[in-house]
Amino acid sequence: MSTLDLFEGLHTPTQAMEPLAQQACVLRGFALPFVEAVLPALAHICEVAPFRHMVTPGGFSMSVALTNCGHLGWTSDRSGYRYSPIDPTSGQPWPELPSAFLALATAAAKAAGFPDFVPDACLINQYQPGSRMSLHQDKDEHDYTWPIISVSLGIPATFLFGGHHRADKPQRVPLFHGDVVVWGGKDRLRYHGVAPIKEALHSVMGAQRINFTFRKAG
Ligand code: MD3
Ligand code: FE
């Protein structure tokens, strides 16, 4: 076996990896080489399953609009939050996970040390200036041992990265076009949210932020 073969099995980061916690890190700009392939696939999803403002169990309309692709989609209504294979607006299955999305998600997971991650769900959040997401935990998935991969596109956001109790003061993490965040292990159940989005214009995405979260939900 050559020295090269030995090195091939090792994890060699190709760009800056910023740790946020023990099992959470930011891969700055990781998504940039994928954007050209991701945007036409996103446009197709938005035609089949347009962004919509869902209602929370408490009866409030979310300021973030959302859609999904992949086998399972996250939905909310007066009766609760759940993953469903059917888009409640169309009555049809969610659009398939595009190969460009899968390539991005698996490459990011691998770079962060999760080589076996294959998502079955992609929630797509659309933020406009003023949209926000209050502190919450993601607890609607079956198996919390899988990581969550988050991809940010468009105008900047301040991500709020809290602790295991709602009252824990969150770290403020700025996220920009092309940034990818990977959350695994014990950091997977931390409280998190997004501060109100500031008015801005992105040269490619316009006045919006798009966030993809890739999960194994089923
Ligand atoms: C940290 N979305 O859809 S993504 C969500 O930017 C959500 O749209 C935010 O929170 C957004 O549920 C943040 C990243 C994310 C997802 C799950 C996490 C961060 C997380 C779970 C634990 C800690
Ligand atoms: Fe969340």
Side-chain angles (χ1 to χ4, degrees), residues 84-167:
S84 166
I86 302 296
D87 175 350
T89 300
S90 67
Q92 295 299 120
W94 296 104
E96 261 187 70
L97 196 74
S99 57
F101 285 29
L102 191 62
L104 168 55
T106 55
K110 193 173 171 193
F114 298 97
D116 302 324
F117 178 74
V118 181
D120 61 10
C122 175
L123 167 61
I124 310 172
N125 290 321
Q126 181 192 47
Y127 296 76
Q128 272 151 353
S131 300
R132 59 192 291 272
M133 194 175 282
S134 53
L135 282 181
H136 65 278
Q137 291 175 295
D138 290 17
K139 294 178 88 168
D140 301 323
E141 299 76 25
H142 263 104
D143 183 349
Y144 304 147
T145 62
W146 290 107
I148 293 180
I149 315 289
S150 145
V151 176
S152 294
L153 297 181
I155 63 178
T158 300
F159 181 72
L160 305 172
F161 188 42
H164 286 89
H165 303 277
R166 191 183 292 278

Side-chain angles (χ1 to χ4, degrees), residues 6-218:
L6 286 171
F7 274 108
E8 224 158 10
L10 294 177
H11 168 60
T12 44
T14 48
Q15 93 293 311
M17 201 188 283
E18 282 174 34
L20 283 182
Q22 233 170 329
Q23 296 177 86
C25 69
V26 184
L27 304 167
R28 291 287 175 200
F30 189 94
L32 292 176
F34 296 85
V35 170
E36 193 182 305
V38 161
L39 290 184
L42 175 62
H44 170 75
I45 291 164
C46 294
E47 280 174 26
V48 179
F51 285 114
R52 76 294 301 266
H53 294 271
M54 288 193 175
V55 174
T56 64
F60 297 98
S61 180
M62 295 174 68
S63 65
V64 176
L66 66 84
T67 186
N68 292 276
C69 61
H71 176 58
L72 291 168
W74 186 87
T75 66
S76 176
D77 60 25
R78 283 308 299 242
S79 60
Y81 308 121
R82 77 193 75 82
Y83 281 94
S84 166
I86 302 296
D87 175 350
T89 300
S90 67
Q92 295 299 120
W94 296 104
E96 261 187 70
L97 196 74
S99 57
F101 285 29
L102 191 62
L104 168 55
T106 55
K110 193 173 171 193
F114 298 97
D116 302 324
F117 178 74
V118 181
D120 61 10
C122 175
L123 167 61
I124 310 172
N125 290 321
Q126 181 192 47
Y127 296 76
Q128 272 151 353
S131 300
R132 59 192 291 272
M133 194 175 282
S134 53
L135 282 181
H136 65 278
Q137 291 175 295
D138 290 17
K139 294 178 88 168
D140 301 323
E141 299 76 25
H142 263 104
D143 183 349
Y144 304 147
T145 62
W146 290 107
I148 293 180
I149 315 289
S150 145
V151 176
S152 294
L153 297 181
I155 63 178
T158 300
F159 181 72
L160 305 172
F161 188 42
H164 286 89
H165 303 277
R166 191 183 292 278
D168 295 341
K169 188 185 162 79
Q171 287 182 62
R172 297 173 70 89
V173 182
L175 292 178
F176 303 98
H177 183 72
D179 290 349
V180 175
V181 191
V182 180
W183 327 84
K186 61 180 182 189
D187 295 316
R188 166 76 181 66
L189 283 172
R190 285 189 189 235
Y191 279 88
H192 59 278
V194 177
I197 299 286
K198 292 192 177 134
E199 202 76 55
L201 204 53
H202 186 270
S203 58
V204 176
M205 304 300 296
Q208 62 171 344
R209 169 177 188 254
I210 300 286
N211 182 269
F212 302 91
T213 53
F214 295 98
R215 304 149 195 264
K216 237 192 218 301

